Every structure is written in structure tokens, then in C-alpha cells.
């Protein structure tokens, strides 16, 4: 372990042992004023031999390299003594100057060397071996280094080294002027720099609260907050004005003026539908507009297959597979073959997978390439297992590449279409507007898209209401499978899920093998019963194999049976402290080796390795385990279903425990055994579709624990949270 108190060290860089051009991570050795060597490690981009460095941080003990100083922040200055100047130039830091040339320059100009290189570079040409052109090149390289140094030092007052390096790499020497002119431009250009951070920079410069740049940035921040928390792609003008005025602490008239400026600049859009005026951020308006236009075009331009041929295809598949399709299943297959856009919905056990398998077989027989994808890794894994056909996440299908941009960058796009002729999107209720926009941009002319999903489940985590809007537009064929097949009828999970969806109480007589209700009168009893089930009763009754797949899915984060309290209880019960398990505390959570964890925000930069394949991106809702914790390296190794990723301790605020998760976070996943607490929480969370979504996450067993009156309330409450979106209206307008 190490001392948490921050310390400072100062000295001259004697040698740079390692430095990453991409991340700025550096290992170097300095010599302090007493002549003692100190090894510095951390993000220190552009550190060079001869630099004088003052670093703040803490001491750590590396198991192989011993005592090191872990740098949290640093400042550096150019060397001043002749020997240090010579060492700096001889290190090759300035392009065009090697050891011999460095000695000639320093011998000639002494302590004025840096001033000559920067301001009188033509004097360098007086030295034999340095031409006028080479002198100019040396000057350019030195000024570039000075620019980097100045930007890094300027940004150090506001950001960490890694973020400062991103700013310099993107904006170069002009970064300081750009930030001073409009600090809020940082929000639009760099992931990880939000409005509040930019607002702090602006405040330090004395920028007024009602400045045009701040008002526009605050409106955008208010809109993005609503998109992330409520799933809205647009907001009613009056609601946006009121909330933005509250956030920015200025009057609504200035907000109205800011909206007008934003519209004139093309950063905001106004669109009226349903008798109300809505304001969009440009990216959401452009995304929904493009999706509406592209879907309508695909449906019209896709090559048709005659009904006679379709009947023959269906008969052939029935014979080869030994399956007799129901009437609605035949209708679904026919609709998918005869149009460019089709939606297939239905609850569990209604045969959606059977239809998908039939479609894959038919498309393959007529020479059409098919891709199956899903919005999350777990949903893609489920699709692969159920169909026997490789499914990918949408991000992987589109070949997402590493990028420092605010939004992900895909190699498959309008300039490089997907090769496939048919794309089947499973778990489409989880598909958000921006992801649909990226997918449709990558689909070639004449291709087909088939949406598979259950609109009665919760909508996507990201902004939009894609599946519901497409269905409600009535512009495309939608087939809803309703028949529960014989094998599925034997599952109380499936039959009860359908009862819940119909507003009827599930059967809870505890006579089945896969659906149980345990009555508890207090919320504390609910929580303690769940902990006892997981740590004692279920392992004794069913063995470790089934119990390793237990997932607690609860309506809320708060309360005695919410995720926050349950995760504390369950960590204690399932993965208690041990001398053999390392720990790390971050943002109030103790992470321990062996813990189950969840990523709680999209991070497109996170690197991972799986079976020798390297990739980027860990997404909101991804669940994994803590494989190892390294205090010396300040990293934690995580396993996300075989994707191994190393997280710096500074990134642990992106993680939380996942012994218990909310229903919203469980979307698209399936677990052998699901335990659902029924307890007193916010009434807005006690809804039918939330209970239905939780129940349908289980494949082998559901256990409800709690109050019957809560169960009755949830079944009866068919309230759906309103999302303000425009895709449905745009589909009907464009048609």
C-alpha cells in the first residue's frame, strides 16, 4: 500500500526510459537538488532530458522496479545551465539537432542558445554544417515544442495531463487562444469535457453568465441531460427554456434569445408536431430526419419477391427443418421477403427465433448475405446461441474504430457500405436513435432491414424510442406473434410473463419448478432473504452451476432492497473480504477481486483483448468481474465476457457493483435465475412493463421476494414514461 498524502518532488530529467506518443505515459529518472535519483511514472507528455520538473503525486512500490513516484500533475521549465542546455539539445528533442550539432550551438551561444533558436534562428547558419534551411527547420521544431509546452502548462490548471495532451494534439499551438476565446468549444470537441468543466474554465477568465457562448452551451447541456436521463431526442420549447434558465441561473428571455441564435447557426432545430413546438440539438434532428428518409427509401427500393415464390420458399424450409409454421409466422416470413423494412414483435415463447432461422435459410438459398446484430454484447450473445448464426453488436458490425471524438467513429458508413444484403436487428427495443442512424448510413441501396423486438419491454437507455416510433408510424409491415407454443406453455416464466403483460396477476402458488413467490412484510426482510437465498438456500438446493448464473434485478437504486444497499449485502455474502483478495476503494465503493461489476457509461476509448483480438469500447450496462487489482500500477483488470480490459484507478468512477442491477440495466440480457425484490420504492417505478421486462430476463427460474400488494400494484399500473421524439412524425411527414 502507499501513503495517500500528496507530496512534491523536483529535479532535472536525467533520462527518459519510456514514453508513449499516444497516451503520454512516461517513465523517467530525475536527479533532485541533493543528487539523488528519483523514478517518475505517469502521464507526462513531452518530457525531455534536461527539463526541470516539479511533480506532485505519491510514492508507490512496484513489485519489480521498487520505489517510484506516481505523478498526478507536473510542471516543467527549460534548463538554464549550459550543461543542462547541452544535454537537452543532445537528446534529440529538437529535430535537426544531434549531439555534435548541439555542442557547436551551445559553444557558440552559451546560455542564450534558446533565445537564438527561437528568435534569431538565422544566426545558426553561421555555424559550419548548418544551412539556412536547416536553421529554419530547427526553429520550427523548437517553436512546436514550445507550443506544446505552453499548451500543456496552460491546460494543467484545469485538466489532467492526458486530457491536456488530447487538446494539444487536436488544436496544436492555437489551443490557448481557442480556449480563451470560447471555453465552451471544449464540450463539442473532446469526450470527457462537459459543460461544468468548461464553465469552470470560463469563470476563471471572468466570462459573464449571460454571454452568448455560455447560454448556447448551457442550452445544449440541458438538452443532453434530458436525452441521457429521460431518453428525449427533442424538448418542448417552454420546458427547455424553464430548465435551461434554472441551470444557467439567468432569465428565460436570454434563453429564448440563445435558442434563436442556435437555430440561426444550425446548432438547434425547431420542429412542430402534435400541436407543440419542439427544439432539437442538431445531431438528434439530423439523425431522426435521416432515419425517416432512409427507412422509407429502403422500403420502396428493395427488390420484391413474388408471393408465389415466397410460398414455395416457406414450404421448402418447412420440409428441410421439420417445422410447421403457424399462420402468423408464415405472414412474418412473407412480409420480410416482400418489403425492405419489416418489424416482428411478440412476447417470450411466441416463436420469433423460429422465424429468424427460417429467414436466414431462405435468404441464404437465394444468395443474399445476412447479418444479425443487437445493441449490446449480451443481446448479441443470446442471438448467437438461439439461432446458431454468429451475431455481432451493432458497433462491431459497423467496425467501430478508436477515436478521441465525442461520438464513436465507424469504418462502415455512407462511404463504405456493409457487404450484407439483409440486416436483422434483435432486441430492437434497445436501439437508440444515434445507433440506428449509424446503422442505416452503412446499409447499401437495395438492402433490407428487419427489426425483432418486444415493444412491451422498456425502451433504450440512449435517447430515442425507435421500435415504438417505427411501429406507431404504421408505415411498415408489423407482425405481432401472439400464440404461445406448446413447449413454451410448460414454462411458468413464459405464461406468467404474458399474464403480467395482459394486466393479470401471475400464478404464484409455488407449485411450479421455475416461478416462485416468497412473501415478506418489510423491506429489510426482503433484502436479508435475498442475501440468504444467494449465499445459502439456493446453492444447497440447486448447486453451484445454476447459482453462478443468479442475477438480482430490482426496480430502483434506492431503498433497503435497491441496488445500492443490496450490493453491499451481497458483496458481503458472496465475496467477503479475504487476505488473498486485493481491494481498492473509489467513489465510496470498495472493489474487491472476484466482484461482479458493471460499466455505467459508454466509453469508446477503452481498450480490450479477447482471444488475441484487440478492440475498443466498453458500454453502459456491460457486466464483468474484477480479475486482478494492482496497487503498484494503479490498475484493475476486468473481464467482460472474455474481453479483458485494464482500467486505471482514475477511471473507476465508470464502474459500480452488479450483484444487483436495475431493470433498466438488465435490458437485452438473459440469466438462468432471476430474483426480483418487490418492495416500497418510488411509485413511478412500480409499473407493469418494468415487471414484465424483469421477469423475461430469466431462462430457468424466477423468484419474487416481497409484498403481494407491490406485485398487484405493478401488474395494474400500465403507465409508460413519455419520451419526446420525432421519428414517428417525420416518417409520416416524409411519406
Amino acid at each position: 500500500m502507499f501513503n495517500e498524502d500528496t507530496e512534491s518532488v523536483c529535479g532535472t530529467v536525467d533520462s527518459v526510459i519510456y514514453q508513449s506518443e499516444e497516451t503520454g505515459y512516461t517513465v523517467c529518472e530525475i536527479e533532485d537538488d541533493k543528487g539523488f535519483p528519483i523514478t517518475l511514472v505517469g502521464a507526462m507528455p513531452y518530457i525531455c532530458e534536461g527539463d526541470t520538473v516539479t511533480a506532485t503525486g505519491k510514492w508507490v512500490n512496484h513489485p519489480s522496479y521498487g520505489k517510484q513516484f506516481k505523478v498526478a500533475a507536473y510542471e516543467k521549465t527549460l534548463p538554464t545551465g549550459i550543461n543542462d542546455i547541452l544535454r537537452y539539445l543532445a537528446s534529440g528533442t529538437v529535430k535537426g539537432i544531434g549531439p555534435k550539432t548541439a555542442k557547436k550551438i551551445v559553444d557558440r551561444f552559451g546560455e542564450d542558445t534558446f533565445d537564438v533558436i527561437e528568435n534569431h534562428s538565422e544566426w545558426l547558419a553561421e555555424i559550419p554544417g548548418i544551412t539556412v534551411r536547416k536553421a529554419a527547420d530547427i526553429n520550427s521544431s523548437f517553436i512546436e515544442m514550445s507550443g506544446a509546452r505552453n499548451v500543456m502548462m496552460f491546460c494543467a490548471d484545469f485538466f489532467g495531463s492526458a486530457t491536456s495532451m488530447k487538446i494539444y494534439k487536436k488544436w496544436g499551438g492555437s489551443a490557448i487562444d481557442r480556449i480563451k476565446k470560447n471555453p465552451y468549444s471544449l464540450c463539442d470537441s473532446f469526450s470527457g469535457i462537459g459543460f461544468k468543466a468548461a464553465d469552470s474554465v470560463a469563470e476563471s477568465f471572468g466570462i459573464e453568465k449571460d454571454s452568448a457562448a455560455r447560454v448556447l452551451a448551457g442550452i445544449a447541456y440541458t438538452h443532453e441531460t434530458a436525452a441521457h436521463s429521460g431518453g428525449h431526442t427533442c424538448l418542448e420549447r417552454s420546458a427547455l427554456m424553464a430548465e435551461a434558465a434554472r441551470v444557467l441561473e439567468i432569465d428565460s428571455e436570454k434563453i429564448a434569445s440563445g435558442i434563436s441564435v442556435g437555430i440561426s447557426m444550425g446548432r438547434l432545430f425547431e420542429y412542430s408536431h402534435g400541436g407543440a413546438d419542439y427544439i432539437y440539438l442538431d445531431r438528434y434532428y439530423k439523425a431522426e430526419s435521416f432515419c425517416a428518409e432512409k427507412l422509407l427509401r429502403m422500403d420502396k427500393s428493395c427488390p420484391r419477391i413474388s408471393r408465389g415464390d415466397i410460398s414455395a420458399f416457406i414450404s421448402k424450409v418447412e420440409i428441410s427443418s421439420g417445422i410447421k409454421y403457424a399462420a402468423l409466422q408464415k405472414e412474418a416470413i412473407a412480409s420480410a421477403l416482400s418489403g425492405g423494412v419489416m418489424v416482428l414483435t411478440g412476447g417470450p415463447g411466441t416463436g420469433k427465433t423460429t422465424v429468424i432461422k427460417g429467414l436466414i435459410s431462405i435468404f441464404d438459398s437465394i444468395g443474399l448475405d445476412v447479418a444479425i446484430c443487437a445493441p449490446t454484447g449480451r443481446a448479441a450473445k443470446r442471438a448467437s446461441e438461439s439461432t446458431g448464426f454468429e451475431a455481432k453488436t451493432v458497433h462491431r458490425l459497423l467496425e467501430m474504430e478508436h477515436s478521441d471524438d465525442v461520438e464513436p467513429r465507424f469504418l462502415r458508413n455512407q462511404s463504405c457500405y456493409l457487404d450484407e444484403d439483409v440486416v436483422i436487428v434483435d432486441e430492437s427495443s434497445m436501439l437508440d436513435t444515434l445507433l440506428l442512424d449509424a446503422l442505416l448510413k452503412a446499409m447499401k441501396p437495395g438492402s433490407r432491414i428487419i427489426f425483432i423486438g418486444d415493444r412491451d419491454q422498456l425502451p433504450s437507455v440512449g435517447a430515442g424510442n425507435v421500435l415504438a416510433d417505427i411501429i406507431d408510424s404504421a408505415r411498415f409491415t408489423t407482425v405481432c406473434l401472439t400464440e404461445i407454443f406448446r413447449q413454451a406453455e410448460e414454462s411458468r416464466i413464459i405464461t406468467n410473463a404474458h399474464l403480467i403483460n395482459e394486466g393479470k396477476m401471475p400464478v404464484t402458488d409455488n407449485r411450479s419448478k421455475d416461478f416462485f413467490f416468497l412473501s415478506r412484510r418489510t423491506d429489510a426482510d426482503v433484502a436479508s432473504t435475498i442475501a440468504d437465498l444467494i449465499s445459502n438456500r439456493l446453492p444447497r438446493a440447486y448447486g453451484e452451476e445454476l447459482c453462478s448464473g443468479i442475477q438480482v434485478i430490482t426496480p430502483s437504486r434506492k431503498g433497503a432492497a435497491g441496488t445500492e444497499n443490496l450490493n453491499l449485502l451481497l458483496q458481503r455474502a458472496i465475496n467477503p473480504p479475504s487476505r488473498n483478495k486485493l481491494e481498492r476503494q473509489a467513489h465510496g465503493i470498495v472493489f474487491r477481486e472476484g466482484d461482479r461489476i458493471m460499466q455505467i457509461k459508454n466509453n469508446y476509448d477503452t481498450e480490450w483483448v479477447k482471444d488475441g483480438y484487440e478492440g475498443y469500447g466498453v458500454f453502459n450496462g456491460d457486466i464483468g468481474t474484477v480479475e486482478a487489482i494492482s496497487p503498484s500500477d494503479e490498475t484493475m483488470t476486468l473481464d467482460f465476457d472474455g474481453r479483458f480490459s485494464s482500467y486505471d484507478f482514475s477511471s473507476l468512477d465508470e464502474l459500480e457493483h452488479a450483484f444487483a442491477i436495475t431493470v433498466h440495466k438488465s435490458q437485452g440480457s438473459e440469466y438462468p435465475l432471476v430474483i426480483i425484490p418487490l418492495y416500497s420504492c418510488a411509485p413511478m417505478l412500480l409499473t407493469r412493463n418494468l415487471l414484465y421486462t424483469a421477469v423475461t430476463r430469466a431462462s430457468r427460474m424466477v423468484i419474487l421476494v416481497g409484498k403481494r400488494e407491490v406485485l398487484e400494484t405493478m401488474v395494474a399500473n400500465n403507465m409508460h414514461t413519455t419520451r419526446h421524439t420525432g421519428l414517428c412524425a417525420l416518417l409520416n411527414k416524409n411519406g
Side-chain angles (χ1 to χ4, degrees):
M1 298 299 292
F2 46 77
N3 186 355
E4 292 291 336
D5 295 331
T6 300
E7 299 183 45
S8 295
V9 296
C10 182
T12 301
V13 178
D14 189 54
S15 63
V16 177
I17 301 166
Y18 170 79
Q19 188 167 71
S20 167
E21 290 187 10
E22 287 298 316
T23 65
Y25 182 82
T26 302
V27 179
C28 68
E29 192 169 272
I30 67 171
E31 186 178 285
D32 67 13
D33 55 4
K34 296 180 181 179
F36 292 115
I38 299 173
T39 300
L40 305 184
V41 296
M44 296 176 285
Y46 305 109
I47 281 285
C48 307
E49 291 180 12
D51 279 335
T52 299
V53 177
T54 301
T56 57
K58 54 196 174 188
W59 292 99
V60 298
N61 283 305
H62 192 281
S64 301
Y65 304 112
K67 192 175 182 181
Q68 298 177 332
F69 192 80
K70 179 75 173 180
V71 177
Y74 76 100
E75 294 182 359
K76 64 176 183 174
T77 57
L78 284 171
T80 53
I82 289 178
N83 290 335
D84 289 335
I85 293 172
L86 177 59
R87 189 196 318 176
Y88 178 87
L89 291 178
S91 69
T93 298
V94 180
K95 293 178 182 178
I97 300 180
K100 291 182 179 179
T101 304
K103 189 172 188 315
K104 290 179 183 179
I105 295 173
V106 175
D107 285 346
R108 181 70 171 270
F109 300 110
E111 293 184 354
D112 296 326
T113 293
F114 291 141
D115 178 61
V116 170
I117 292 174
E118 183 171 6
N119 301 307
H120 308 285
S121 60
E122 68 276 8
W123 295 357
L124 297 174
E126 299 172 5
I127 297 174
I130 299 180
T131 64
V132 173
R133 181 170 180 175
K134 185 175 181 179
D137 290 341
I138 290 172
N139 170 259
S140 297
S141 176
F142 185 80
I143 289 175
E144 182 182 347
M145 290 296 299
S146 298
R149 185 189 307 274
N150 293 337
V151 171
M152 297 298 293
M153 293 302 100
F154 175 83
C155 291
D157 292 335
F158 310 107
F159 310 110
S161 298
T163 300
S164 300
M165 186 175 183
K166 284 183 181 179
I167 293 171
Y168 176 72
K169 280 193 168 185
K170 190 165 187 174
W171 285 351
S174 67
I176 296 174
D177 290 338
R178 294 180 72 162
I179 294 171
K180 285 182 175 179
K181 184 178 180 181
N182 180 12
Y184 300 100
S185 61
L186 292 163
C187 305
D188 301 324
S189 302
F190 301 97
S191 60
I193 302 180
F195 172 76
K196 291 184 178 179
D199 209 29
S200 297
V201 177
E203 186 177 6
S204 72
F205 295 157
I207 294 177
E208 297 294 333
K209 280 192 171 185
D210 60 355
S211 71
R214 183 175 187 268
V215 172
L216 192 55
I219 291 170
Y221 169 72
T222 303
H223 201 300
E224 284 289 10
T225 301
H228 292 154
S229 62
H232 307 296
T233 58
C234 54
L235 291 173
E236 286 192 70
R237 174 185 275 268
S238 57
L240 174 60
M241 287 177 58
E243 181 60 14
R246 186 193 68 79
V247 169
L248 294 172
E249 299 178 334
I250 59 177
D251 62 64
S252 56
E253 289 184 7
K254 290 186 171 63
I255 302 297
S257 176
I259 290 173
S260 298
V261 170
I263 292 172
S264 68
M265 294 172 62
R267 296 186 61 184
L268 300 175
F269 286 83
E270 187 169 26
Y271 183 67
S272 300
H273 61 86
D277 296 329
Y278 291 91
I279 303 298
Y280 280 89
L281 286 181
D282 58 345
R283 64 181 183 140
Y284 291 114
Y285 181 76
K286 290 174 181 176
E288 285 197 331
S289 297
F290 174 81
C291 288
E293 186 274 330
K294 181 69 177 275
L295 287 169
L296 290 167
R297 181 159 25 102
M298 287 176 67
D299 199 43
K300 292 176 182 177
S301 64
C302 181
R304 269 22 182 194
I305 300 174
S306 70
R307 282 281 171 172
D309 289 339
I310 290 173
S311 297
F313 287 137
I314 292 174
S315 297
K316 186 176 179 180
V317 171
E318 285 182 322
I319 293 170
S320 63
S321 64
I323 294 174
K324 184 68 176 176
Y325 294 117
L328 281 175
Q329 288 180 313
K330 289 182 179 179
E331 182 183 336
I333 293 173
S335 298
L337 294 173
S338 60
V341 179
M342 182 264 187
V343 180
L344 175 63
T345 70
T350 56
K352 296 192 296 293
T353 300
T354 302
V355 172
I356 296 173
K357 288 180 177 179
L359 285 170
I360 293 171
S361 179
I362 293 172
F363 285 130
D364 182 63
S365 70
I366 58 178
L368 297 181
D369 291 331
V370 179
I372 299 181
C373 61
T376 68
R378 285 181 170 265
K381 184 178 180 182
R382 283 183 64 198
S384 295
E385 293 169 349
S386 62
T387 64
F389 189 93
E390 183 190 10
K392 301 177 180 178
T393 63
V394 178
H395 292 85
R396 185 180 167 201
L397 178 68
L398 298 180
E399 300 178 23
M400 188 186 80
E401 66 173 358
H402 175 63
S403 167
D404 289 333
D405 295 342
V406 175
E407 292 301 321
R409 185 187 302 158
F410 300 106
L411 294 179
R412 296 292 185 166
N413 50 46
Q414 288 164 304
S415 301
C416 183
Y417 290 125
L418 290 167
D419 298 324
E420 289 81 5
D421 306 289
V422 182
V423 173
I424 298 174
V425 187
D426 199 17
E427 294 287 357
S428 293
S429 62
M430 301 174 63
L431 194 64
D432 64 58
T433 296
L434 296 180
L435 196 54
L436 176 65
D437 175 57
L439 178 59
L440 292 177
K441 283 176 178 173
M443 294 190 65
K444 62 186 178 183
S447 58
R448 289 175 166 81
I449 188 166
I450 300 167
F451 298 100
I452 313 289
D454 185 347
R455 72 167 297 170
D456 293 316
Q457 292 186 19
L458 297 173
S460 59
V461 174
N465 203 10
V466 167
L467 184 63
D469 280 352
I470 290 173
I471 293 172
D472 290 342
S473 74
R475 299 311 307 271
F476 313 105
T477 301
T478 298
V479 177
C480 181
L481 302 179
T482 56
E483 180 183 349
I484 304 175
F485 290 93
R486 186 180 304 170
Q487 185 177 359
E489 285 179 336
E490 298 174 2
S491 167
R492 186 66 65 81
I493 296 173
I494 291 176
T495 55
N496 275 342
H498 284 272
L499 287 172
I500 291 168
N501 203 31
E502 294 166 7
K504 301 174 183 176
M505 281 291 288
V507 178
T508 57
D509 55 15
N510 289 351
R511 294 176 185 172
S512 72
K513 296 180 180 179
D514 62 0
F515 201 100
F516 302 94
F517 174 73
L518 303 181
S519 178
R520 296 293 184 271
R521 295 310 307 160
T522 69
D523 293 349
D525 285 344
V526 172
S528 62
T529 297
I530 290 173
D532 184 50
L533 280 169
I534 293 175
S535 59
N536 297 307
R537 295 169 60 180
L538 291 173
R540 286 200 305 266
Y542 298 100
E544 291 298 328
E545 182 179 354
L546 179 62
C547 293
S548 64
I550 294 175
Q551 182 62 62
V552 179
I553 302 178
T554 184
S556 176
R557 296 180 57 87
K558 304 297 183 181
T563 58
E564 292 178 359
N565 188 55
L566 277 177
N567 275 317
L568 291 173
L569 290 177
L570 296 178
Q571 184 193 37
R572 197 178 305 146
I574 300 169
N575 191 33
S578 168
R579 294 177 61 186
N580 300 320
K581 294 180 179 180
L582 295 176
E583 299 179 354
R584 172 68 185 185
Q585 183 169 345
H587 60 94
I589 296 176
V590 175
F591 293 102
R592 185 175 298 129
E593 290 175 339
D595 278 351
R596 196 174 196 189
I597 49 85
M598 172 183 281
Q599 178 82 9
I600 58 174
K601 62 178 287 189
N602 288 337
N603 189 324
Y604 303 108
D605 297 333
T606 301
E607 300 177 45
W608 51 261
V609 177
K610 181 177 182 179
D611 299 329
Y613 173 80
E614 296 181 359
Y616 291 92
V618 180
F619 305 107
N620 188 0
D622 283 356
I623 290 179
T625 56
V626 179
E627 284 292 300
I629 296 175
S630 174
S632 58
D633 293 336
E634 296 200 357
T635 60
M636 193 158 78
T637 302
L638 307 175
D639 175 7
F640 293 100
D641 281 333
R643 293 177 299 151
F644 289 88
S645 182
S646 179
Y647 277 51
D648 188 271
F649 283 171
S650 63
S651 301
L652 299 188
D653 59 346
E654 298 181 4
L655 302 172
E656 62 183 28
H657 282 132
F659 299 105
I661 62 176
T662 63
V663 180
H664 284 84
K665 296 291 188 180
S666 74
Q667 290 173 264
S669 299
E670 185 176 80
Y671 310 94
L673 197 161
V674 168
I675 300 176
I676 305 171
L678 302 174
Y679 72 107
S680 304
C681 63
M684 63 184 296
L685 295 173
L686 300 179
T687 65
R688 183 187 303 170
N689 71 329
L690 191 139
L691 177 61
Y692 172 74
T693 300
V695 168
T696 54
R697 298 307 90 204
S699 62
R700 294 174 60 180
M701 187 181 297
V702 168
I703 302 176
L704 307 177
V705 183
K707 305 174 183 179
R708 180 167 291 275
E709 56 265 34
V710 172
L711 176 61
E712 292 170 348
T713 296
M714 296 183 81
V715 171
N717 183 5
N718 199 29
M719 182 188 73
H720 292 261
T721 303
T722 300
R723 286 194 170 196
H724 296 300
T725 62
L727 181 58
C728 179
L730 287 163
L731 281 167
N732 282 301
K733 176 187 176 184
N734 291 342

